[in-house]
Amino acid sequence: MEARAQEEAPAVAQLPLLAERGRFDEVLAALTVDEAYKSDARVASLINDLQRYHEHEADQCLQRQKAYATAVEDVSKRLQEGKLDEALISAIEASNVATSPQATLEDPTIVQLINRAQAVAEEAEQSGDWLEAMNLYRGLDLLFDENGTYRDRLNRAIRHVRVLRLYAPAELDRMLAVRSERLGKDQPAPARPDEDSWQDTVRGVELAMLRQVMAQAARRHIDGGGYQPLLGGALDAMAILAESRGLDQTFPGLGDPKKVSEFRRQLASLRQQLDQRSGNLNFLEAAALVDRIVAISAQTVNLPEAVLTYELTEGVVNSLDDFSAVIWPREKENFSRNTQGKFFGVGIQISIRDDRLIVVSPLEDTPAHRAGIRAGDVIVSVDGRDTSTWALDRAVREITGPEGTEVTLGVERLGASDTLQFKLKRAEIVIESIRGWERRPTGGWDYFIDRANKIGYVRLSQFVPQSAADLDRAINQMEGEGGVEALILDLRFNPGGLLSSAVEVADRFLSSGTIVST
């Protein structure tokens, strides 16, 4: 028996590698070849789990085939009804359960849908209905996710909708109403009356910021494309402004067809010169071209300089990767709060539900928590001012503030007949980036998802300066409560954060090698 075990040891030694590669059938075959393995309770448990996995996999395959057939049938039905949005959703569901996504794209029913959706999206573009175009291109983009066939068209439509949302929300509301009526849906609520205006968005924006962004992107972005593609993106942004209908109520110059035509003609001339340029532009040449765009605007449609700067800069950044962005003056405070892991406020998470400002959760050991504010409370006033028309950003700005200052929240609570008043003193609030499996009744986190088998669980919600240290504390706590043999690190919905913090966390799990480089 000992000799046999020694002969089979090399095969057993390969089992972890086979499991890592997902070859579970081979692992199961190796474990069941000899009855001797079954005498080990842990091996027997593993064999049982693998057998169940095999059964579930076969059942899942059958279920996927049924789901695919149902989804394609629904595509045909929605297509006949003219409900292209819903048909695209069903097509995406079919692709998600198909054994071959490419085969899905070649299915005659799906091909018919793709051709029809593309034709309608192109018609919407021609008529200026960028909302309809965006929704259809988004569905097509998700369907063609692997090759990005519709990515550029979707991006263009999204940029048009962004411009309308910022500068002509009434026009976007009109498009939403028309779309809802066509789809037989309830009329959507208009934009909240107190949403930040475009003037708030561009306040503090100066032309020097655009030059700084261009210089940083040209010198430091990993693609290293120089100034030409950045300026191409800037000119694209100007074209989108000129093409978007409904902006003339905000910028009268865009309501004059002759001025708009001349604006577009001169921009097209600049774009042609840029495309024909041989050799790389330097910073002074790039800055001169920006000045030329500003001058063309002043001579034709006369857009405010802050708007020009904002849109040109957004165009520059749009020419980079999907994760590059400019943090504008009005966004700086919120950005700092999210990346530094702390801010000054009362310690509540809030959201807008049914046009009411709702407390999602008070943070533990904060002024709001100690004062007795609860999840589900409705904040109806801040320092006596009604919040019914406030956007979420404004609510955050009004409730947060310098350390030690006071703010009074008027709260409606289920079961309370009168509005409750909470006078709170703002304090430093440290964002909790590390969470465990469940809260303990006495406070703090229980990090064990399976205490008997010493399996820990840590959810890392974002990378802030204290993330690595908090992770160390969580692991030390588990070590002090009996030890941890396996750890689930949950990064779902983590939007990112500080690169240095991400490197620190990764370093906890890697023993050698480069973690990140450019």
Side-chain angles (χ1 to χ4, degrees):
M1 184 67 191
E2 184 177 348
R4 178 187 294 182
Q6 289 174 348
E7 290 174 0
E8 293 177 352
V12 174
Q14 295 299 313
L15 296 187
L17 181 60
L18 292 174
E20 186 177 321
R21 293 176 178 174
R23 294 158 62 177
F24 298 119
D25 286 346
E26 295 177 49
V27 175
L28 180 59
L31 290 175
T32 55
V33 73
D34 194 322
E35 292 292 326
Y37 288 129
K38 298 181 180 179
S39 62
D40 186 315
R42 298 181 69 179
V43 174
S45 176
L46 177 58
I47 290 173
N48 181 59
D49 289 341
L50 288 171
Q51 288 173 335
R52 290 173 59 200
Y53 169 81
H54 183 73
E55 293 168 1
H56 291 167
E57 190 177 46
D59 181 63
Q60 186 183 48
C61 182
L62 179 62
Q63 294 302 322
R64 285 164 69 97
Q65 292 172 357
K66 292 180 179 178
Y68 180 83
T70 301
V72 172
E73 184 180 340
D74 196 60
V75 169
S76 179
K77 178 183 176 183
R78 301 303 179 190
L79 189 55
Q80 291 175 10
E81 295 171 346
K83 298 178 179 179
L84 297 180
D85 293 54
E86 295 179 19
L88 283 168
I89 291 172
S90 295
I92 294 164
E93 291 174 353
S95 180
N96 288 338
V97 299
T99 54
S100 169
Q102 182 58 40
T104 305
L105 298 178
E106 297 169 0
D107 186 298
T109 303
I110 305 297
V111 170
Q112 184 183 359
L113 168 63
I114 291 168
N115 293 336
R116 180 59 183 152
Q118 180 175 320
V120 173
E122 290 172 351
E123 291 171 7
E125 282 188 281
Q126 292 298 318
S127 66
D129 189 350
W130 293 103
L131 183 66
E132 175 74 357
M134 181 186 73
N135 280 283
L136 291 173
Y137 282 139
R138 177 173 285 126
L140 288 166
D141 180 62
L142 288 169
L143 189 57
F144 284 78
D145 182 53
E146 292 297 323
N147 53 32
T149 303
Y150 292 90
R151 194 67 41 79
D152 289 342
R153 299 188 198 190
L154 173 60
N155 183 43
R156 179 178 173 78
I158 287 173
R159 294 172 72 184
H160 273 281
V161 171
R162 181 192 66 78
V163 164
L164 289 171
R165 182 176 289 112
L166 180 57
Y167 302 114
E171 175 66 11
L172 187 60
D173 284 341
R174 184 192 66 77
M175 290 182 183
L176 282 166
V178 170
R179 175 178 168 77
S180 296
E181 184 177 357
R182 185 179 69 252
L183 297 177
K185 297 182 178 180
D186 293 337
Q187 293 291 318
R192 288 174 66 80
D194 200 57
E195 289 283 4
D196 288 344
S197 65
W198 65 267
Q199 293 95 332
D200 293 324
T201 298
V202 303
R203 185 171 291 118
V205 174
E206 300 175 354
L207 198 57
M209 296 175 182
L210 169 57
R211 298 191 180 101
Q212 290 172 352
V213 169
M214 286 198 306
Q216 290 288 329
R219 289 199 305 263
R220 303 185 64 181
H221 193 269
I222 192 167
D223 288 344
Y227 287 102
Q228 274 95 330
L230 303 179
L231 289 165
L235 288 168
D236 287 344
M238 291 298 96
I240 284 173
L241 268 183
E243 292 171 0
S244 297
R245 301 176 187 178
L247 299 186
D248 54 304
Q249 296 298 313
T250 304
F251 308 119
L254 293 176
D256 187 325
K258 290 184 178 180
K259 290 181 178 179
V260 172
S261 178
E262 180 61 17
F263 182 54
R264 297 177 67 173
R265 186 192 69 79
Q266 294 197 48
L267 291 177
S269 177
L270 282 182
R271 183 57 186 261
Q272 185 178 19
Q273 295 172 32
L274 185 67
D275 292 342
Q276 294 175 349
R277 164 84 185 213
S278 60
N280 294 326
L281 290 174
N282 60 38
F283 174 75
L284 292 177
E285 291 171 322
L289 194 146
V290 168
D291 291 339
R292 178 63 185 143
I293 295 172
V294 174
I296 290 172
S297 170
Q299 296 162 9
T300 55
V301 294
N302 196 30
L303 295 169
E305 186 173 294
V307 171
L308 269 178
T309 301
Y310 185 86
E311 293 301 326
L312 286 168
T313 308
E314 288 291 315
V316 165
V317 173
N318 192 72
S319 71
L320 304 174
D321 62 276
D322 293 340
F323 303 99
S324 293
V326 175
I327 309 303
W328 293 106
R330 66 184 294 274
E331 300 166 335
K332 185 178 178 182
E333 182 179 344
N334 188 53
F335 177 76
S336 297
R337 176 166 59 244
N338 288 333
T339 56
Q340 297 306 313
K342 59 184 179 181
F343 62 97
F344 297 108
V346 299
I348 50 174
Q349 295 175 329
I350 56 176
S351 69
I352 299 289
R353 294 181 193 166
D354 299 326
D355 285 336
R356 310 198 83 191
L357 193 60
I358 304 291
V359 176
V360 176
S361 174
L363 304 180
E364 191 173 354
D365 196 29
T366 62
H369 182 262
R370 290 191 291 269
I373 289 181
R374 304 174 187 172
D377 284 347
V378 179
I379 301 176
V380 296
S381 66
V382 175
D383 287 334
R385 288 168 294 164
D386 180 69
T387 64
S388 61
T389 63
W390 285 12
L392 191 60
D393 283 349
R394 180 177 177 186
V396 171
R397 288 198 303 271
E398 297 288 350
I399 295 173
T400 58
E403 183 177 18
T405 58
E406 292 183 337
V407 61
T408 300
L409 305 184
V411 168
E412 286 185 2
R413 178 175 294 167
L414 187 64
S417 57
D418 298 322
T419 299
L420 307 177
Q421 299 293 327
F422 293 89
K423 189 173 186 178
L424 308 172
K425 182 174 288 188
R426 298 180 177 102
E428 181 179 85
I429 309 298
V430 178
I431 296 175
E432 188 177 49
S433 68
I434 295 289
R435 295 176 173 87
W437 181 242
E438 60 184 1
R439 286 278 189 186
R440 288 173 165 166
T442 56
W445 287 103
D446 182 352
Y447 294 102
F448 282 106
I449 190 172
D450 185 340
R451 189 175 291 272
N453 289 300
K454 301 182 179 180
I455 300 174
Y457 169 92
V458 169
R459 179 183 172 192
L460 179 52
S461 60
Q462 64 188 100
F463 292 99
V464 295
Q466 64 269 26
S467 292
D470 288 347
L471 177 61
D472 290 342
R473 277 193 286 273
I475 293 175
N476 289 337
Q477 179 179 315
M478 285 184 278
E479 291 287 1
E481 295 176 2
V484 55
E485 292 191 4
L487 178 68
I488 297 172
L489 182 61
D490 188 347
L491 295 174
R492 291 175 299 173
F493 314 113
N494 184 321
L498 292 178
L499 176 62
S500 57
S501 176
V503 170
E504 282 188 88
V505 170
D507 197 37
R508 300 300 193 271
F509 298 93
L510 302 173
S511 58
S512 64
T514 301
I515 293 176
V516 62
S517 66
T518 59

